Every structure is written in C-alpha cells, then in structure tokens.
Amino acid sequence: MSLDPPTYLNSLQNNIRARPIPWDGAVRTGTITDNDLKKIKAVDKVRKEHRRQTVEADLEAYQLLILGGEESKSVLESAAKRVDVIHYMLVLTGDLINGRILRNQHISRTVLCLQPDIGTDVPGLPAVLLQHPDPYKPFIPLLSHSTNPEDTIPLLTSSVLASILSVAQLQSPKSSPKTDEALTKLYKYLSTLTKSQDSGLQDIAVQEYSALLRTKKAREIFWAQREETVDPLVDILRVVAGAGKDSDSAPWSSTASTRSAAETGHGGGVGLQLLYHVLLAVWQLSFEGALIGKGLEQYCLSLVRKDSPRLLHARQQEIFPLYTQLLRLFPQEKTTRLLLSTLLNLLSPPANRATLLPIATAARLPTLLSNLKGRHLTDPDLLEDLQSLTDMLGEYTSSQTTFDEYASEVLNGRLRWSPPHRDGTFWRENSRKIIDNSQGELPKKLAEILAKAWEEDKQVLAIACNDVGWLVKEAPEKRVQLEKLGIKGRVMELMTDADESVRWESLKTVGEWLRYSFDD
C-alpha cells in the first residue's frame, strides 16, 4: 500500500490553488514587494518543467522569498495579516519542495524508509533552503496560529515543515539543535490531529509522522513525547481491536474469534488505510526497541488516566494482547507483516526479554504464531519474522515450564504471567509436588502473597488465584491443606475486588472448590 497524499489535504490544496489572489492590492498595501510578486507570478499556474527551470535558475532568490534574509522578511512573515496570501504561499512552497514521501516504495526493515521517491517539482530547492541559517523560522510560529485542529494555516504548515525536515534527515542523519527543536514542535502539533475525531486529520498526522521517523534521533524525540505522540496512536489501535480508549475491560481473551474484521464488523469505524498508516508509524518507532522496552512499563502506566479505574496490570500487558488481537482480526499480509515485525523489534533486544517474553506468552502469542503458519503467506520478510518469533518464544517457553522455575518465581513473591501459570500439563504433573514439597513451603508463600493488597500491581493477586484454582482442580484431595492456610477464605473475599481480572480468577477458583464440595 502506498502512502499517497491524504484526500482531505489534497482537496484543500487544490481549492487554494484555484482561488484568485488580488496580488496588485497586496503590493500596494506593502504586504509583499514588487520583486516578490514577480517571483511568484513566474511560477504561478505554469507547467512543472517551466516552474523547475525558473526556480533552478535563481535558487537563492526563491530561498529569500520563502525564508527571508538578514534584511528582508519571508513572504509568510510580511503577509501575516493576509490569510489568503499565507494559504497560497504555503501551498506553493509545498508544491516546490514537497516530495511524494514514502509513495510506492518498498517497506524494508533494513532500509527503514530512508530511500523514498522524492518527486519534487524543483529537486534542487530543498537543499538550498536547508543551507539557510534558520530554515524553519517562518513556519514554526504558524503551527500555533490556532488551537482549532481544522485551521488551514497550521495544517498546511505542518505538511511543508514535515517535508523540509524529512529531507533534512536524508541529507544529514546527524541531529542539529534547530532540527530537533522543529521536530519537537511539529510532533506536538501533529498530536492534536491524532486526538481529533476526524479520521482525515488523523491520517494527515500519521503520514507526516512516518515521513519524520527516519533517524534514531527523530524516533528518540518522538518517544520522549510519548504521552502526546504514542498514546493517541495506541488509542486508535484499541478502537480498531474492539476496546474504546476509555474502556475498563480486561485484556482481550485468547479465545476471541479469529474471523477477520470484515466478517465481524470490528474496526471501530477506523478505515484500513488509517490502521495501516498507524501500524507503519509504530513499526518505525519500534526500531528503537531497546529504548522502548526499557520504558514500556512506565509508558503503560502513563496511559492510565487519573479518572479511570483501570490499574497498572491491565496497561502493563496491553501492547502484546492488543497486537495479537489485531493479528486475529486483520489477516491481510501488509498488516500482518507490520504487526509481526514490530513485535520482533520489541522482543529482540536482550534487555527486553525478561520483561516482555512472559507478557507475550501470556497473550497467547505462541499459539497465534502457530496458527499463522497455516496461512498461505508469501512475503519473504514476513515469513522470516514469523519464524524468528516462533523460535524465540519456543525457546523461552521450553526453558520456563519447569517446577524449579515456578518455585523460584513464587518464592520471589512477585508473580508474572510466565508460561507455567496457564500450562495445563505443568499443573497435572506438578500440583501435588507444589503442595507437599518442603513441608508445604509454596502454598504458604501463596497464602502470604494473597494476604497482601497489591494496590499497585493487582495482577499478582489474579495470578495467585489462578494458581490456587489449578491446585484445587488437579489435587482436589489436598484442598483441605489449602483451606487451613486461609487461602479459600481469602480467595472468596477477592470475588468482590475492584479489579476485574482478580474477580474473574477468584470466581473460577471458588468454582473449582464448590465443584468438589458438591461431589463430596
């Protein structure tokens, strides 16, 4: 799928091109100079080839027109009170420098979109603009022209500025203070569009994000502003997956339907094109997997709104269940490829694996990967990523489902959804050993864990209830030993806990107890 100019923006630019501008009046009022007007008319409503020859014959003059100089202002500054002139000059500037960024190019995880097809009207102009001492100066103030996300001036400005910054990164991957500052301010503006309810505005912002996320520094700045930049993207994906951004539901069930979004009506009103563009931006960001992995839990906590009853555990585990749900809903290769590649980028850094592999396993990613292998997939990069993820998760799972690993986790006191907790074979083989080993050391520790409130990490209580349920199910004759430790009474209390996952796990466990009580 190519990233063609957003329809909304394209229509807006075409309307402005068609509007007549009273240029002579602008000269008489001093809005622009006669020399400015000559340069504008020389490239106004002419063939592209003529426009290119005209500008390239005097690149410095057009740099002066657009950016200004030591003794003259940019037309964008001198025409501050003439909205029609500003509109026109932003569209004209965009026509001269705005390459078809990311259009019709091969999305490669190794190239990372650093070789776009830049089809500018005047190929030499962007480089000359970037030679200016402050190439972003006329544009930055226009981003804050209005707080209305539909205001035309900042919208057009963002398109021009994104193009200039994109070319700047291609010319010099090393960051500069002025480029970093411009990126920061542009990201902030674009985040207001992603928070809009208008999918057209969202798509403009996300495509411009993709044009900007070209270098390590650009991605680091984007991540540093994650509450503004990443949060709205995750919220869009949550809507697509069937959970609104303010939903208090628990992570998606691993038993969710595997039918596509087209069959089930999922998508939350978000178009496939916008979904693809959001996934592309997140994929580009995921190339800083080590940075993101280290801050992932903190980021997930930052997504918890102060007025929401959702607790930390739901957000800590959201990214992987979210992506596995999207993999179920959208079987198209183009989306599957981005989803798998993003997950691989997050899991690949060794520093991330201790934290993220248990979460990926709890989200039933290994089972889903096995199902994906049954599809007729043809993309070689997709198949390579699928195999890499399968191997990584298989190695982790096989090394974790042992009694010693489980005992170590329980004795450590902070439970995570590591593989043993939901592995029926593990519980069938080890339940009695867990209860009897070392004079009941592990059940005593589970009772100790359950006795705490765990207000900051409710998932510990949910996992402990899950484990007790397995013990009762697989070793019913030993449930009295658990009752003597006060475990049954505590689990029953947790049926009224404020956290949904704790209530669910405790309810299942009490159900096991009642089943055997009735049998008695």
Side-chain angles (χ1 to χ4, degrees):
M1 181 181 289
S2 64
L3 299 196
D4 293 314
T7 303
Y8 181 90
L9 183 61
N10 203 33
S11 174
L12 182 63
Q13 291 166 335
N14 285 336
N15 287 338
I16 291 172
R17 291 185 190 102
R19 293 173 190 168
I21 304 289
W23 292 115
D24 293 338
V27 172
R28 284 196 302 271
T29 58
T31 300
I32 61 172
T33 67
D34 187 59
N35 192 39
D36 290 337
L37 181 57
K38 289 178 181 178
K39 292 177 198 154
I40 292 170
K41 286 195 170 183
V43 294
D44 181 39
K45 297 179 178 60
V46 297
R47 293 181 179 274
K48 286 187 177 182
E49 181 60 26
H50 178 75
R51 175 181 286 175
R52 182 185 67 79
Q53 292 175 354
T54 301
V55 176
E56 289 192 340
D58 200 356
L59 286 170
E60 291 186 2
Y62 281 90
Q63 180 204 64
L64 192 66
L65 175 73
I66 295 169
L67 301 179
E70 293 183 1
E71 299 179 359
S72 62
K73 291 183 178 181
S74 159
V75 170
L76 293 170
E77 295 172 313
S78 62
K81 295 182 180 180
R82 287 287 301 272
V83 172
D84 58 340
V85 174
I86 292 177
H87 284 175
Y88 176 86
M89 283 305 303
L90 287 171
V91 172
L92 176 63
T93 303
D95 289 342
L96 296 176
I97 69 170
N98 190 16
R100 292 182 289 276
I101 301 301
L102 292 170
R103 186 182 298 185
N104 298 325
Q105 64 179 8
H106 178 65
I107 303 298
S108 168
R109 62 174 176 272
T110 55
V111 175
L112 190 56
C113 308
L114 287 179
Q115 301 295 332
D117 170 22
I118 301 181
T120 61
D121 280 7
V122 187
L125 184 59
V128 172
L129 292 179
L130 289 168
Q131 292 172 7
H132 191 279
D134 196 350
Y136 315 116
K137 181 184 175 184
F139 304 107
I140 297 296
L142 297 179
L143 291 175
S144 55
H145 180 266
S146 169
T147 58
N148 179 4
E150 296 184 7
D151 189 311
T152 302
I153 287 179
L155 199 60
L156 295 171
T157 302
S158 72
S159 178
V160 173
L161 193 54
S163 296
I164 296 175
L165 286 165
S166 178
V167 174
Q169 293 181 71
L170 288 171
Q171 288 192 348
S172 178
K174 293 183 179 179
S175 65
S176 70
K178 283 186 177 6
T179 296
D180 293 351
E181 180 185 6
L183 274 171
T184 299
K185 292 182 177 179
L186 182 53
Y187 284 154
K188 183 177 179 64
Y189 168 72
L190 293 177
S191 73
T192 64
L193 301 186
T194 59
K195 295 171 187 174
S196 166
Q197 298 302 307
D198 188 318
S199 61
L201 296 177
Q202 291 175 325
D203 200 36
I204 291 171
V206 176
Q207 288 205 46
E208 289 179 15
Y209 279 157
S210 284
L212 296 168
L213 292 170
R214 299 173 173 276
T215 63
K216 180 180 179 64
K217 185 63 176 179
R219 295 188 290 274
E220 288 175 345
I221 293 173
F222 191 85
W223 179 249
Q225 295 175 244
R226 55 191 172 272
E227 291 188 14
E228 293 176 323
T229 56
V230 182
D231 189 343
L233 301 186
V234 174
D235 283 338
I236 291 172
L237 294 178
R238 283 176 56 81
V239 171
V240 173
K245 67 180 182 179
D246 295 317
S247 170
D248 298 320
S249 60
W252 294 275
S253 167
S254 62
T255 60
S257 171
T258 57
R259 290 181 296 163
S260 71
E263 294 174 301
T264 62
H266 264 301
V270 177
L272 183 60
Q273 178 171 291
L274 176 57
L275 167 64
Y276 179 81
H277 295 164
V278 171
L279 292 177
L280 179 62
V282 177
W283 170 73
Q284 290 173 277
L285 179 64
S286 74
F287 277 79
E288 303 309 317
L291 172 67
I292 296 171
K294 290 177 182 177
L296 184 59
E297 290 191 15
Q298 179 181 355
Y299 164 62
C300 291
L301 176 60
S302 76
L303 287 180
V304 180
R305 293 160 176 79
K306 293 180 180 179
D307 60 348
S308 171
R310 281 177 297 173
L311 296 176
L312 176 60
H313 82 278
R315 281 297 195 175
Q316 279 180 323
Q317 298 194 65
E318 186 188 35
I319 300 301
F320 281 86
L322 173 57
Y323 265 53
T324 54
Q325 177 72 348
L326 292 172
L327 281 167
R328 293 186 186 101
L329 292 174
F330 296 92
Q332 299 90 341
E333 282 203 12
K334 59 181 175 288
T335 51
T336 299
R337 179 183 176 186
L338 288 174
L339 289 163
L340 290 183
S341 186
T342 300
L343 294 177
L344 183 60
N345 287 344
L346 292 175
L347 289 170
S348 291
N352 292 359
R353 295 181 186 179
T355 300
L356 300 184
L357 280 173
I359 295 174
T361 304
R364 297 291 198 270
L365 183 56
T367 301
L368 183 56
L369 295 179
S370 178
N371 293 337
L372 287 176
K373 286 194 167 186
R375 294 184 190 172
H376 180 63
L377 302 172
T378 59
D379 186 289
D381 285 339
L382 188 162
L383 292 169
E384 182 181 340
D385 289 346
L386 177 58
Q387 189 59 51
S388 296
L389 280 168
T390 300
D391 293 344
M392 186 187 302
L393 286 159
E395 180 181 350
Y396 170 75
T397 302
S398 64
S399 69
Q400 293 295 307
T401 51
T402 67
F403 174 82
D404 290 338
E405 292 287 347
Y406 175 76
S408 175
E409 183 181 339
V410 173
L411 294 174
N412 181 52
R414 184 171 286 275
L415 305 179
R416 289 290 178 264
W417 283 115
S418 54
H421 297 288
R422 286 173 169 163
D423 187 333
T425 301
F426 171 82
W427 290 103
R428 283 191 294 274
E429 295 175 352
N430 293 286
S431 287
R432 289 170 180 80
K433 184 178 179 181
I434 289 171
I435 294 173
D436 295 334
N437 190 66
S438 299
Q439 298 180 331
E441 179 183 32
L442 294 179
K444 291 175 183 175
K445 185 63 179 180
L446 283 173
E448 180 183 318
I449 291 171
L450 284 165
K452 297 179 181 178
W454 297 99
E455 291 295 343
E456 297 300 318
D457 199 356
K458 286 286 189 175
Q459 74 165 339
V460 174
L461 286 177
I463 297 169
C465 288
N466 168 82
D467 292 3
V468 172
W470 277 110
L471 291 175
V472 174
K473 179 179 180 179
E474 299 298 336
E477 75 281 3
K478 295 184 177 291
R479 65 187 185 279
V480 175
Q481 293 174 236
L482 302 177
E483 293 174 8
K484 288 181 179 179
L485 294 172
I487 290 178
K488 180 179 180 181
R490 175 56 174 157
V491 170
M492 293 181 72
E493 290 177 5
L494 292 173
M495 291 172 64
T496 59
D497 193 87
D499 183 86
E500 184 176 355
S501 64
V502 174
R503 294 198 305 272
W504 172 244
E505 295 296 343
S506 60
L507 178 62
K508 290 195 300 180
T509 299
V510 170
E512 290 294 337
W513 238 301
L514 292 176
R515 180 159 68 92
Y516 287 106
S517 296
F518 293 145
D519 290 344
D520 291 345

